[in-house]
Amino acid sequence: MKTRKLLDGIYWVGAEDWDRRLFDSLIPLPDGTSYNSYVIQGQEKVALVDTVDPTKFEEFKENLRDFPVIDYLIANHLEQDHSGLIPYVLDRYPQAQLLLTPAAVDLALSHLRVEEKRIRTVADGQTLDLGGRTIRFIHFPWVHWPETMLSYLEEDRILFSCDLFGSHLASTELLVKEEERVLEPTKRYYAEIMMPFRKIIQKNLHRVENLSVDYIAPSHGPIYARPRFIIEAYRKWVDDRPENLVVIPHVTMHGSTRKMVERLVEALASRNIEVRPFNLPLTDIGSLAMSLVDAATLVVASPTILTGLHPLAAEAVFLVNALRPKARLAGFIGSYGWKSRALDQLQAMLDGVRFEFLPPVLVKGDPDQAAMEQVEGLAEMILKKHQAAGLL
Ligand code: FEO
């Protein structure tokens, strides 16, 4: 993509990555992604906000052709998809200073081997005068690394928010046109990247809400011309209150565990509880993560292999523990052949989330009528817990 103009003197110079399908060799990207970089021209100085992923070097190099001078390179975030071409920019513009938070210095030195003399740290609330345009730096650590900051262009009321509010969405549109279209990739992004830092965002979101903002320009996905839309979505996602929703990641080997899952889905649905089952051999873990943004209850369903969880269930449980969703109730159902320690394993793996564990339903072999009644009992218990929490 060629450069795109947001306002007079403010340009997008990033790169779309239409074909990328995996991030961190882990996260599915069904809609590709973009790496946003912005040029801000003042009457006296010019700043560049972030760079792009090194795989897009040629495109980025071409995009900077119209900008013979860059005085400041603002690095809101040091992860390589935004910082990877900082050394190139510093080389191309020998007068440019690299502006970042104190917490980012070590990362710039160790990850990018930047010369220390090119670095200038900025304090929280410090401003930078470009001549008629003023950038205020807002330290906002842990979205999602320790060094992150936001840059707020005061006169034009634009918030350059780095990964916060971003979406993995490649698009020819500079601005979000259909909010419903961007909501899912933004929620996916939140679920996969930001959810582990939910409490920190929850505590600090007012700092963004209190700003006068006409545009939020994140480092992935289109720019929000109606910022309230995405701030409100984030406010809901980070809120402690879950929805009347049960998420069931499940896997079966010979069909016994599947029978229990089917019964549980029916039993919950008949009690007016929304259920989302995820068949792990087929599912996209991003969809599972998105459902965990809202769910009140997690029920893992797994057969036992060599006395432990099925590896696909173990992977899902590992993910849940890493993402730290707001759900506080957890259950376990499954069938085993001769012996199972799967429940102990599950509970040990979920040590990062303060779950209340519901009584498990573990069945030797094919689930009989008594086992199915236990599944019904589990559904009834979940209903009572959801009712007590005022969720339905
Ligand atoms: Fe888009 Fe944390 O980098």
PDB file of all heavy atoms in Angstrom, residues 259-293:
ATOM      1  N   LYS A 259     -20.205 -37.909  24.265  1.00  0.00           N
ATOM      2  CA  LYS A 259     -21.583 -38.108  24.746  1.00  0.00           C
ATOM      3  C   LYS A 259     -21.854 -37.229  25.958  1.00  0.00           C
ATOM      4  O   LYS A 259     -22.925 -36.649  26.097  1.00  0.00           O
ATOM      5  CB  LYS A 259     -21.796 -39.575  25.149  1.00  0.00           C
ATOM      6  CG  LYS A 259     -21.942 -40.537  23.995  1.00  0.00           C
ATOM      7  CD  LYS A 259     -22.186 -41.942  24.550  1.00  0.00           C
ATOM      8  CE  LYS A 259     -22.024 -42.988  23.466  1.00  0.00           C
ATOM      9  NZ  LYS A 259     -22.017 -44.360  24.003  1.00  0.00           N
ATOM     10  N   MET A 260     -20.881 -37.135  26.832  1.00  0.00           N
ATOM     11  CA  MET A 260     -21.063 -36.312  28.043  1.00  0.00           C
ATOM     12  C   MET A 260     -21.144 -34.829  27.672  1.00  0.00           C
ATOM     13  O   MET A 260     -21.940 -34.081  28.249  1.00  0.00           O
ATOM     14  CB  MET A 260     -19.895 -36.557  29.011  1.00  0.00           C
ATOM     15  CG  MET A 260     -19.820 -38.007  29.469  1.00  0.00           C
ATOM     16  SD  MET A 260     -18.275 -38.395  30.316  1.00  0.00           S
ATOM     17  CE  MET A 260     -18.520 -37.570  31.879  1.00  0.00           C
ATOM     18  N   VAL A 261     -20.334 -34.423  26.699  1.00  0.00           N
ATOM     19  CA  VAL A 261     -20.370 -33.018  26.260  1.00  0.00           C
ATOM     20  C   VAL A 261     -21.734 -32.707  25.667  1.00  0.00           C
ATOM     21  O   VAL A 261     -22.355 -31.674  25.981  1.00  0.00           O
ATOM     22  CB  VAL A 261     -19.247 -32.748  25.228  1.00  0.00           C
ATOM     23  CG1 VAL A 261     -19.435 -31.383  24.558  1.00  0.00           C
ATOM     24  CG2 VAL A 261     -17.883 -32.825  25.902  1.00  0.00           C
ATOM     25  N   GLU A 262     -22.223 -33.607  24.817  1.00  0.00           N
ATOM     26  CA  GLU A 262     -23.519 -33.356  24.178  1.00  0.00           C
ATOM     27  C   GLU A 262     -24.617 -33.223  25.235  1.00  0.00           C
ATOM     28  O   GLU A 262     -25.486 -32.361  25.144  1.00  0.00           O
ATOM     29  CB  GLU A 262     -23.837 -34.479  23.187  1.00  0.00           C
ATOM     30  CG  GLU A 262     -22.970 -34.400  21.938  1.00  0.00           C
ATOM     31  CD  GLU A 262     -23.034 -35.638  21.038  1.00  0.00           C
ATOM     32  OE1 GLU A 262     -23.679 -36.637  21.440  1.00  0.00           O
ATOM     33  OE2 GLU A 262     -22.409 -35.598  19.965  1.00  0.00           O
ATOM     34  N   ARG A 263     -24.549 -34.077  26.240  1.00  0.00           N
ATOM     35  CA  ARG A 263     -25.571 -34.010  27.297  1.00  0.00           C
ATOM     36  C   ARG A 263     -25.451 -32.709  28.087  1.00  0.00           C
ATOM     37  O   ARG A 263     -26.453 -32.071  28.432  1.00  0.00           O
ATOM     38  CB  ARG A 263     -25.405 -35.222  28.223  1.00  0.00           C
ATOM     39  CG  ARG A 263     -26.458 -35.304  29.316  1.00  0.00           C
ATOM     40  CD  ARG A 263     -27.867 -35.513  28.731  1.00  0.00           C
ATOM     41  NE  ARG A 263     -28.836 -35.715  29.784  1.00  0.00           N
ATOM     42  CZ  ARG A 263     -29.316 -36.909  30.146  1.00  0.00           C
ATOM     43  NH1 ARG A 263     -28.947 -38.017  29.521  1.00  0.00           N
ATOM     44  NH2 ARG A 263     -30.199 -37.008  31.123  1.00  0.00           N
ATOM     45  N   LEU A 264     -24.216 -32.305  28.359  1.00  0.00           N
ATOM     46  CA  LEU A 264     -24.017 -31.074  29.130  1.00  0.00           C
ATOM     47  C   LEU A 264     -24.497 -29.854  28.341  1.00  0.00           C
ATOM     48  O   LEU A 264     -25.126 -28.946  28.902  1.00  0.00           O
ATOM     49  CB  LEU A 264     -22.535 -30.916  29.506  1.00  0.00           C
ATOM     50  CG  LEU A 264     -22.204 -29.696  30.369  1.00  0.00           C
ATOM     51  CD1 LEU A 264     -22.957 -29.733  31.710  1.00  0.00           C
ATOM     52  CD2 LEU A 264     -20.701 -29.592  30.616  1.00  0.00           C
ATOM     53  N   VAL A 265     -24.208 -29.837  27.059  1.00  0.00           N
ATOM     54  CA  VAL A 265     -24.665 -28.712  26.224  1.00  0.00           C
ATOM     55  C   VAL A 265     -26.190 -28.620  26.278  1.00  0.00           C
ATOM     56  O   VAL A 265     -26.764 -27.541  26.498  1.00  0.00           O
ATOM     57  CB  VAL A 265     -24.173 -28.876  24.764  1.00  0.00           C
ATOM     58  CG1 VAL A 265     -24.831 -27.841  23.846  1.00  0.00           C
ATOM     59  CG2 VAL A 265     -22.649 -28.746  24.694  1.00  0.00           C
ATOM     60  N   GLU A 266     -26.857 -29.763  26.111  1.00  0.00           N
ATOM     61  CA  GLU A 266     -28.328 -29.784  26.166  1.00  0.00           C
ATOM     62  C   GLU A 266     -28.834 -29.347  27.531  1.00  0.00           C
ATOM     63  O   GLU A 266     -29.782 -28.558  27.652  1.00  0.00           O
ATOM     64  CB  GLU A 266     -28.845 -31.202  25.879  1.00  0.00           C
ATOM     65  CG  GLU A 266     -28.808 -31.588  24.408  1.00  0.00           C
ATOM     66  CD  GLU A 266     -29.701 -30.684  23.572  1.00  0.00           C
ATOM     67  OE1 GLU A 266     -30.815 -30.370  24.012  1.00  0.00           O
ATOM     68  OE2 GLU A 266     -29.247 -30.253  22.488  1.00  0.00           O
ATOM     69  N   ALA A 267     -28.212 -29.872  28.565  1.00  0.00           N
ATOM     70  CA  ALA A 267     -28.671 -29.593  29.931  1.00  0.00           C
ATOM     71  C   ALA A 267     -28.518 -28.106  30.271  1.00  0.00           C
ATOM     72  O   ALA A 267     -29.382 -27.521  30.924  1.00  0.00           O
ATOM     73  CB  ALA A 267     -27.876 -30.446  30.924  1.00  0.00           C
ATOM     74  N   LEU A 268     -27.433 -27.504  29.825  1.00  0.00           N
ATOM     75  CA  LEU A 268     -27.224 -26.073  30.100  1.00  0.00           C
ATOM     76  C   LEU A 268     -28.165 -25.227  29.259  1.00  0.00           C
ATOM     77  O   LEU A 268     -28.787 -24.274  29.759  1.00  0.00           O
ATOM     78  CB  LEU A 268     -25.763 -25.696  29.818  1.00  0.00           C
ATOM     79  CG  LEU A 268     -24.727 -26.263  30.795  1.00  0.00           C
ATOM     80  CD1 LEU A 268     -23.314 -26.112  30.238  1.00  0.00           C
ATOM     81  CD2 LEU A 268     -24.828 -25.580  32.162  1.00  0.00           C
ATOM     82  N   ALA A 269     -28.276 -25.585  27.980  1.00  0.00           N
ATOM     83  CA  ALA A 269     -29.133 -24.791  27.091  1.00  0.00           C
ATOM     84  C   ALA A 269     -30.576 -24.819  27.572  1.00  0.00           C
ATOM     85  O   ALA A 269     -31.283 -23.802  27.521  1.00  0.00           O
ATOM     86  CB  ALA A 269     -29.020 -25.312  25.653  1.00  0.00           C
ATOM     87  N   SER A 270     -31.021 -25.979  28.071  1.00  0.00           N
ATOM     88  CA  SER A 270     -32.408 -26.080  28.537  1.00  0.00           C
ATOM     89  C   SER A 270     -32.625 -25.267  29.814  1.00  0.00           C
ATOM     90  O   SER A 270     -33.755 -25.019  30.220  1.00  0.00           O
ATOM     91  CB  SER A 270     -32.779 -27.546  28.783  1.00  0.00           C
ATOM     92  OG  SER A 270     -32.079 -28.029  29.910  1.00  0.00           O
ATOM     93  N   ARG A 271     -31.529 -24.839  30.426  1.00  0.00           N
ATOM     94  CA  ARG A 271     -31.629 -23.986  31.626  1.00  0.00           C
ATOM     95  C   ARG A 271     -31.337 -22.521  31.271  1.00  0.00           C
ATOM     96  O   ARG A 271     -30.995 -21.724  32.141  1.00  0.00           O
ATOM     97  CB  ARG A 271     -30.640 -24.483  32.691  1.00  0.00           C
ATOM     98  CG  ARG A 271     -31.061 -25.812  33.338  1.00  0.00           C
ATOM     99  CD  ARG A 271     -29.937 -26.423  34.149  1.00  0.00           C
ATOM    100  NE  ARG A 271     -30.367 -27.567  34.928  1.00  0.00           N
ATOM    101  CZ  ARG A 271     -30.504 -28.809  34.447  1.00  0.00           C
ATOM    102  NH1 ARG A 271     -30.236 -29.050  33.168  1.00  0.00           N
ATOM    103  NH2 ARG A 271     -30.911 -29.789  35.222  1.00  0.00           N
ATOM    104  N   ASN A 272     -31.453 -22.210  29.996  1.00  0.00           N
ATOM    105  CA  ASN A 272     -31.257 -20.828  29.508  1.00  0.00           C
ATOM    106  C   ASN A 272     -29.845 -20.298  29.751  1.00  0.00           C
ATOM    107  O   ASN A 272     -29.644 -19.112  30.033  1.00  0.00           O
ATOM    108  CB  ASN A 272     -32.273 -19.872  30.136  1.00  0.00           C
ATOM    109  CG  ASN A 272     -33.668 -20.177  29.668  1.00  0.00           C
ATOM    110  OD1 ASN A 272     -33.867 -20.477  28.477  1.00  0.00           O
ATOM    111  ND2 ASN A 272     -34.626 -20.167  30.577  1.00  0.00           N
ATOM    112  N   ILE A 273     -28.887 -21.195  29.664  1.00  0.00           N
ATOM    113  CA  ILE A 273     -27.477 -20.786  29.760  1.00  0.00           C
ATOM    114  C   ILE A 273     -26.862 -20.940  28.369  1.00  0.00           C
ATOM    115  O   ILE A 273     -26.986 -21.998  27.749  1.00  0.00           O
ATOM    116  CB  ILE A 273     -26.709 -21.662  30.771  1.00  0.00           C
ATOM    117  CG1 ILE A 273     -27.306 -21.469  32.175  1.00  0.00           C
ATOM    118  CG2 ILE A 273     -25.225 -21.328  30.765  1.00  0.00           C
ATOM    119  CD1 ILE A 273     -26.762 -22.435  33.211  1.00  0.00           C
ATOM    120  N   GLU A 274     -26.215 -19.878  27.895  1.00  0.00           N
ATOM    121  CA  GLU A 274     -25.557 -19.970  26.583  1.00  0.00           C
ATOM    122  C   GLU A 274     -24.319 -20.861  26.704  1.00  0.00           C
ATOM    123  O   GLU A 274     -23.589 -20.795  27.698  1.00  0.00           O
ATOM    124  CB  GLU A 274     -25.146 -18.579  26.087  1.00  0.00           C
ATOM    125  CG  GLU A 274     -24.600 -18.621  24.663  1.00  0.00           C
ATOM    126  CD  GLU A 274     -24.108 -17.273  24.153  1.00  0.00           C
ATOM    127  OE1 GLU A 274     -24.321 -16.256  24.834  1.00  0.00           O
ATOM    128  OE2 GLU A 274     -23.494 -17.271  23.069  1.00  0.00           O
ATOM    129  N   VAL A 275     -24.117 -21.699  25.714  1.00  0.00           N
ATOM    130  CA  VAL A 275     -22.979 -22.629  25.741  1.00  0.00           C
ATOM    131  C   VAL A 275     -22.212 -22.509  24.423  1.00  0.00           C
ATOM    132  O   VAL A 275     -22.812 -22.422  23.354  1.00  0.00           O
ATOM    133  CB  VAL A 275     -23.450 -24.095  25.863  1.00  0.00           C
ATOM    134  CG1 VAL A 275     -22.271 -24.995  26.215  1.00  0.00           C
ATOM    135  CG2 VAL A 275     -24.556 -24.240  26.869  1.00  0.00           C
ATOM    136  N   ARG A 276     -20.909 -22.511  24.512  1.00  0.00           N
ATOM    137  CA  ARG A 276     -20.085 -22.570  23.295  1.00  0.00           C
ATOM    138  C   ARG A 276     -19.114 -23.741  23.434  1.00  0.00           C
ATOM    139  O   ARG A 276     -18.107 -23.646  24.149  1.00  0.00           O
ATOM    140  CB  ARG A 276     -19.329 -21.261  23.084  1.00  0.00           C
ATOM    141  CG  ARG A 276     -20.265 -20.142  22.707  1.00  0.00           C
ATOM    142  CD  ARG A 276     -19.564 -18.891  22.245  1.00  0.00           C
ATOM    143  NE  ARG A 276     -20.459 -17.767  22.442  1.00  0.00           N
ATOM    144  CZ  ARG A 276     -20.080 -16.538  22.764  1.00  0.00           C
ATOM    145  NH1 ARG A 276     -18.789 -16.260  22.875  1.00  0.00           N
ATOM    146  NH2 ARG A 276     -20.966 -15.574  22.928  1.00  0.00           N
ATOM    147  N   PRO A 277     -19.408 -24.845  22.766  1.00  0.00           N
ATOM    148  CA  PRO A 277     -18.473 -25.971  22.773  1.00  0.00           C
ATOM    149  C   PRO A 277     -17.409 -25.773  21.687  1.00  0.00           C
ATOM    150  O   PRO A 277     -17.716 -25.293  20.599  1.00  0.00           O
ATOM    151  CB  PRO A 277     -19.372 -27.172  22.446  1.00  0.00           C
ATOM    152  CG  PRO A 277     -20.559 -26.603  21.747  1.00  0.00           C
ATOM    153  CD  PRO A 277     -20.658 -25.139  22.073  1.00  0.00           C
ATOM    154  N   PHE A 278     -16.190 -26.125  21.997  1.00  0.00           N
ATOM    155  CA  PHE A 278     -15.090 -26.013  21.023  1.00  0.00           C
ATOM    156  C   PHE A 278     -14.435 -27.371  20.870  1.00  0.00           C
ATOM    157  O   PHE A 278     -13.787 -27.866  21.811  1.00  0.00           O
ATOM    158  CB  PHE A 278     -14.060 -24.976  21.487  1.00  0.00           C
ATOM    159  CG  PHE A 278     -14.571 -23.573  21.439  1.00  0.00           C
ATOM    160  CD1 PHE A 278     -15.167 -23.010  22.552  1.00  0.00           C
ATOM    161  CD2 PHE A 278     -14.500 -22.830  20.264  1.00  0.00           C
ATOM    162  CE1 PHE A 278     -15.672 -21.721  22.512  1.00  0.00           C
ATOM    163  CE2 PHE A 278     -15.002 -21.537  20.209  1.00  0.00           C
ATOM    164  CZ  PHE A 278     -15.592 -20.988  21.335  1.00  0.00           C
ATOM    165  N   ASN A 279     -14.638 -27.972  19.724  1.00  0.00           N
ATOM    166  CA  ASN A 279     -14.058 -29.286  19.434  1.00  0.00           C
ATOM    167  C   ASN A 279     -12.574 -29.084  19.111  1.00  0.00           C
ATOM    168  O   ASN A 279     -12.209 -28.637  18.014  1.00  0.00           O
ATOM    169  CB  ASN A 279     -14.814 -29.911  18.261  1.00  0.00           C
ATOM    170  CG  ASN A 279     -14.419 -31.350  18.042  1.00  0.00           C
ATOM    171  OD1 ASN A 279     -13.575 -31.900  18.760  1.00  0.00           O
ATOM    172  ND2 ASN A 279     -15.009 -31.970  17.040  1.00  0.00           N
ATOM    173  N   LEU A 280     -11.717 -29.381  20.040  1.00  0.00           N
ATOM    174  CA  LEU A 280     -10.321 -28.930  19.964  1.00  0.00           C
ATOM    175  C   LEU A 280      -9.545 -29.400  18.728  1.00  0.00           C
ATOM    176  O   LEU A 280      -8.709 -28.643  18.226  1.00  0.00           O
ATOM    177  CB  LEU A 280      -9.584 -29.311  21.253  1.00  0.00           C
ATOM    178  CG  LEU A 280     -10.077 -28.510  22.472  1.00  0.00           C
ATOM    179  CD1 LEU A 280      -9.510 -29.090  23.764  1.00  0.00           C
ATOM    180  CD2 LEU A 280      -9.730 -27.036  22.350  1.00  0.00           C
ATOM    181  N   PRO A 281      -9.769 -30.613  18.223  1.00  0.00           N
ATOM    182  CA  PRO A 281      -9.020 -30.970  17.011  1.00  0.00           C
ATOM    183  C   PRO A 281      -9.385 -30.099  15.808  1.00  0.00           C
ATOM    184  O   PRO A 281      -8.620 -30.022  14.845  1.00  0.00           O
ATOM    185  CB  PRO A 281      -9.439 -32.427  16.749  1.00  0.00           C
ATOM    186  CG  PRO A 281      -9.936 -32.924  18.064  1.00  0.00           C
ATOM    187  CD  PRO A 281     -10.536 -31.736  18.751  1.00  0.00           C
ATOM    188  N   LEU A 282     -10.533 -29.430  15.870  1.00  0.00           N
ATOM    189  CA  LEU A 282     -10.990 -28.639  14.721  1.00  0.00           C
ATOM    190  C   LEU A 282     -10.962 -27.144  14.977  1.00  0.00           C
ATOM    191  O   LEU A 282     -11.022 -26.345  14.044  1.00  0.00           O
ATOM    192  CB  LEU A 282     -12.448 -29.014  14.373  1.00  0.00           C
ATOM    193  CG  LEU A 282     -12.757 -30.489  14.167  1.00  0.00           C
ATOM    194  CD1 LEU A 282     -14.254 -30.679  13.915  1.00  0.00           C
ATOM    195  CD2 LEU A 282     -11.960 -31.027  12.980  1.00  0.00           C
ATOM    196  N   THR A 283     -10.892 -26.750  16.238  1.00  0.00           N
ATOM    197  CA  THR A 283     -11.191 -25.348  16.550  1.00  0.00           C
ATOM    198  C   THR A 283     -10.007 -24.427  16.310  1.00  0.00           C
ATOM    199  O   THR A 283      -8.845 -24.844  16.279  1.00  0.00           O
ATOM    200  CB  THR A 283     -11.659 -25.228  18.021  1.00  0.00           C
ATOM    201  OG1 THR A 283     -12.441 -24.059  18.151  1.00  0.00           O
ATOM    202  CG2 THR A 283     -10.497 -25.143  18.980  1.00  0.00           C
ATOM    203  N   ASP A 284     -10.339 -23.164  16.152  1.00  0.00           N
ATOM    204  CA  ASP A 284      -9.365 -22.088  16.046  1.00  0.00           C
ATOM    205  C   ASP A 284      -9.215 -21.546  17.476  1.00  0.00           C
ATOM    206  O   ASP A 284     -10.192 -21.113  18.091  1.00  0.00           O
ATOM    207  CB  ASP A 284      -9.968 -21.072  15.076  1.00  0.00           C
ATOM    208  CG  ASP A 284      -9.454 -19.657  15.228  1.00  0.00           C
ATOM    209  OD1 ASP A 284      -8.536 -19.438  16.031  1.00  0.00           O
ATOM    210  OD2 ASP A 284      -9.990 -18.783  14.541  1.00  0.00           O
ATOM    211  N   ILE A 285      -8.021 -21.604  18.017  1.00  0.00           N
ATOM    212  CA  ILE A 285      -7.859 -21.219  19.421  1.00  0.00           C
ATOM    213  C   ILE A 285      -8.197 -19.748  19.657  1.00  0.00           C
ATOM    214  O   ILE A 285      -8.514 -19.342  20.771  1.00  0.00           O
ATOM    215  CB  ILE A 285      -6.446 -21.529  19.967  1.00  0.00           C
ATOM    216  CG1 ILE A 285      -5.383 -20.831  19.137  1.00  0.00           C
ATOM    217  CG2 ILE A 285      -6.213 -23.007  20.102  1.00  0.00           C
ATOM    218  CD1 ILE A 285      -4.059 -20.726  19.855  1.00  0.00           C
ATOM    219  N   GLY A 286      -8.158 -18.961  18.577  1.00  0.00           N
ATOM    220  CA  GLY A 286      -8.555 -17.556  18.712  1.00  0.00           C
ATOM    221  C   GLY A 286     -10.036 -17.441  19.044  1.00  0.00           C
ATOM    222  O   GLY A 286     -10.448 -16.562  19.810  1.00  0.00           O
ATOM    223  N   SER A 287     -10.856 -18.321  18.458  1.00  0.00           N
ATOM    224  CA  SER A 287     -12.293 -18.289  18.753  1.00  0.00           C
ATOM    225  C   SER A 287     -12.532 -18.680  20.204  1.00  0.00           C
ATOM    226  O   SER A 287     -13.379 -18.101  20.886  1.00  0.00           O
ATOM    227  CB  SER A 287     -13.051 -19.257  17.835  1.00  0.00           C
ATOM    228  OG  SER A 287     -12.847 -18.893  16.495  1.00  0.00           O
ATOM    229  N   LEU A 288     -11.799 -19.674  20.657  1.00  0.00           N
ATOM    230  CA  LEU A 288     -11.900 -20.070  22.066  1.00  0.00           C
ATOM    231  C   LEU A 288     -11.505 -18.893  22.963  1.00  0.00           C
ATOM    232  O   LEU A 288     -12.192 -18.564  23.932  1.00  0.00           O
ATOM    233  CB  LEU A 288     -10.993 -21.283  22.320  1.00  0.00           C
ATOM    234  CG  LEU A 288     -10.793 -21.708  23.771  1.00  0.00           C
ATOM    235  CD1 LEU A 288     -12.113 -22.094  24.419  1.00  0.00           C
ATOM    236  CD2 LEU A 288      -9.797 -22.876  23.863  1.00  0.00           C
ATOM    237  N   ALA A 289     -10.410 -18.231  22.619  1.00  0.00           N
ATOM    238  CA  ALA A 289      -9.948 -17.090  23.427  1.00  0.00           C
ATOM    239  C   ALA A 289     -11.007 -15.999  23.456  1.00  0.00           C
ATOM    240  O   ALA A 289     -11.271 -15.408  24.512  1.00  0.00           O
ATOM    241  CB  ALA A 289      -8.628 -16.555  22.867  1.00  0.00           C
ATOM    242  N   MET A 290     -11.634 -15.733  22.306  1.00  0.00           N
ATOM    243  CA  MET A 290     -12.663 -14.679  22.258  1.00  0.00           C
ATOM    244  C   MET A 290     -13.833 -15.000  23.182  1.00  0.00           C
ATOM    245  O   MET A 290     -14.382 -14.127  23.838  1.00  0.00           O
ATOM    246  CB  MET A 290     -13.175 -14.507  20.833  1.00  0.00           C
ATOM    247  CG  MET A 290     -12.334 -13.558  20.019  1.00  0.00           C
ATOM    248  SD  MET A 290     -13.174 -13.089  18.501  1.00  0.00           S
ATOM    249  CE  MET A 290     -12.988 -14.564  17.552  1.00  0.00           C
ATOM    250  N   SER A 291     -14.230 -16.270  23.216  1.00  0.00           N
ATOM    251  CA  SER A 291     -15.341 -16.635  24.098  1.00  0.00           C
ATOM    252  C   SER A 291     -14.955 -16.510  25.565  1.00  0.00           C
ATOM    253  O   SER A 291     -15.790 -16.207  26.419  1.00  0.00           O
ATOM    254  CB  SER A 291     -15.801 -18.066  23.803  1.00  0.00           C
ATOM    255  OG  SER A 291     -16.470 -18.079  22.569  1.00  0.00           O
ATOM    256  N   LEU A 292     -13.690 -16.724  25.847  1.00  0.00           N
ATOM    257  CA  LEU A 292     -13.226 -16.588  27.232  1.00  0.00           C
ATOM    258  C   LEU A 292     -13.264 -15.136  27.718  1.00  0.00           C
ATOM    259  O   LEU A 292     -13.194 -14.886  28.918  1.00  0.00           O
ATOM    260  CB  LEU A 292     -11.806 -17.148  27.370  1.00  0.00           C
ATOM    261  CG  LEU A 292     -11.689 -18.674  27.259  1.00  0.00           C
ATOM    262  CD1 LEU A 292     -10.220 -19.082  27.128  1.00  0.00           C
ATOM    263  CD2 LEU A 292     -12.318 -19.366  28.467  1.00  0.00           C
ATOM    264  N   VAL A 293     -13.357 -14.193  26.791  1.00  0.00           N
ATOM    265  CA  VAL A 293     -13.467 -12.777  27.199  1.00  0.00           C
ATOM    266  C   VAL A 293     -14.718 -12.569  28.042  1.00  0.00           C
ATOM    267  O   VAL A 293     -14.725 -11.771  28.979  1.00  0.00           O
ATOM    268  CB  VAL A 293     -13.501 -11.863  25.953  1.00  0.00           C
ATOM    269  CG1 VAL A 293     -13.833 -10.420  26.331  1.00  0.00           C
ATOM    270  CG2 VAL A 293     -12.170 -11.921  25.216  1.00  0.00           C
TER     271      VAL A 293
END
